Amino acid sequence: MVEDDSGLSVDTIAIDGPAASGKTTIGRLLAAKLGYQMLDTGFMYRAATLAALDAGIDVEDETAVTRLAREIELDVRDGARHGDGRLYSALLNGRDVTWQLRDPAVARNVSAVASYLGVRQALVEKQRRFGEQGKVVMVGRDIGTVVFPDARLKLYITATAEERARRRALDNQAQGHGGDVEVILADIKRRDALDSQRKHSPLLPADDAVIIDSSVITPDEIIDQIMGLLDGDGEWR
Ligand code: CDP
């Protein structure tokens, strides 16, 4: 991590936003353009949820879920070589769980798991360790507010719930999973409400975040807009 005179981490970019807002797509494109790494922190909360479900742990059991979140080993790998549309490969205790993380059972339970303070502390620690190497675009719900409050650039990417549901349905259909828009819309609205109203690290834009509504502009246009925040020397204006 490189800090400037004001103590800001100049090579850390935080992207937050609600479910399926396009933040991971933007994060990946931006990271590729800048030669940065991208970390989608949502995978960690999903992986902790999957681990609990696989172990038969009740997600309402905060103590057991928190213990598990501390114990699990998480890793990401470049996903391109699989050629199956994944943005990255997610490893849980060394096992490739990329597609299992998209299971509706995980989506149904992840907001409960992500609401626990101990779970968040364990996963934020892993995220900060990843970010310490610098040159990173980190994507999530609380990156600009909690994980890297000193990030030089903070983006909050949003879109209407209907547009987000439409996109997620298309993604799911492309991957051969169920793609009923009404069911997905209901899940998105429920998760948005839980994520925004939770006590610890609720979903909300940082005071100094640039808010981008992706409902009507393409990812490439958004990247142009973000790159416009850079001056000719590759420094942030
Ligand atoms: O891809 P999608 O936007 O549907 O969700 P995600 O980014 O994979 O995140 C799944 C869930 O993890 C969210 O609904 C949050 O409950 C939680 N999460 C969080 O609390 N904090 C983060 N930094 C990232 C995800």
Side-chain angles (χ1 to χ4, degrees):
M1 221 165 7
V2 179
E3 293 186 359
D4 69 8
D5 296 343
S6 58
L8 294 174
S9 311
V10 291
D11 56 357
T12 307
I13 298 175
I15 304 184
D16 292 302
S21 62
K23 55 194 187 301
T24 315
T25 302
I26 300 302
R28 182 179 56 90
L29 290 172
L30 189 60
K33 193 125 190 162
L34 295 171
Y36 281 23
Q37 303 234 61
M38 201 266 302
L39 183 71
D40 172 18
T41 59
F43 111 83
M44 295 191 172
Y45 294 91
R46 287 176 179 267
T49 306
L50 179 67
L53 295 175
D54 281 354
I57 292 172
D58 180 357
V59 295
E60 301 296 324
D61 184 345
E62 180 167 352
T63 309
V65 172
T66 301
R67 191 183 316 123
L68 191 65
R70 290 199 188 109
E71 285 167 0
I72 52 177
E73 274 181 36
L74 300 173
D75 213 344
V76 277
R77 297 261 190 284
D78 182 19
R81 72 183 171 85
H82 289 273
D84 60 0
R86 65 180 67 189
L87 295 182
Y88 57 84
S89 293
L91 304 187
L92 166 61
N93 297 327
R95 185 166 61 101
D96 187 332
V97 293
T98 310
W99 294 127
Q100 283 97 309
L101 297 185
R102 293 285 142 196
D103 194 290
V106 172
R108 268 196 307 278
N109 291 291
V110 65
S111 290
V113 169
S115 71
Y116 301 141
L117 180 62
V119 169
R120 303 204 67 84
Q121 286 170 335
L123 300 186
V124 166
E125 193 188 313
K126 295 182 203 290
Q127 292 157 21
R128 289 198 177 128
R129 226 179 296 138
F130 186 94
E132 270 166 15
Q133 56 193 321
K135 295 200 171 199
V136 63
V137 177
M138 205 169 286
V139 178
R141 300 287 189 290
D142 59 340
I143 310 304
T145 50
V146 175
V147 183
F148 286 113
D150 296 333
R152 180 66 180 85
L153 180 70
K154 300 178 188 176
L155 305 168
Y156 187 87
I157 311 236
T158 184
T160 63
E162 287 70 21
E163 177 58 18
R164 292 185 280 129
R166 194 186 67 80
R167 291 181 194 160
R168 183 53 55 88
L170 286 176
D171 279 355
N172 287 1
Q173 283 159 11
Q175 292 152 13
H177 303 303
D180 185 305
V181 183
E182 291 308 317
V183 174
I184 293 172
L185 179 61
D187 172 65
I188 280 181
K189 285 186 172 169
R190 189 186 56 86
R191 271 198 297 135
D192 283 355
L194 290 170
D195 291 346
S196 307
Q197 289 158 19
R198 70 183 174 217
K199 185 167 165 214
H200 308 295
S201 312
L203 165 69
L204 88 177
D207 290 340
D208 49 353
V210 178
I211 298 181
I212 297 176
D213 185 339
S214 77
S215 304
V216 289
I217 41 177
T218 65
D220 284 339
E221 286 168 330
I222 294 176
I223 294 299
D224 285 348
Q225 205 174 316
I226 298 169
M227 294 307 287
L229 300 168
L230 281 170
D231 68 20
D233 298 328
E235 298 294 329
W236 300 109
R237 286 187 210 277

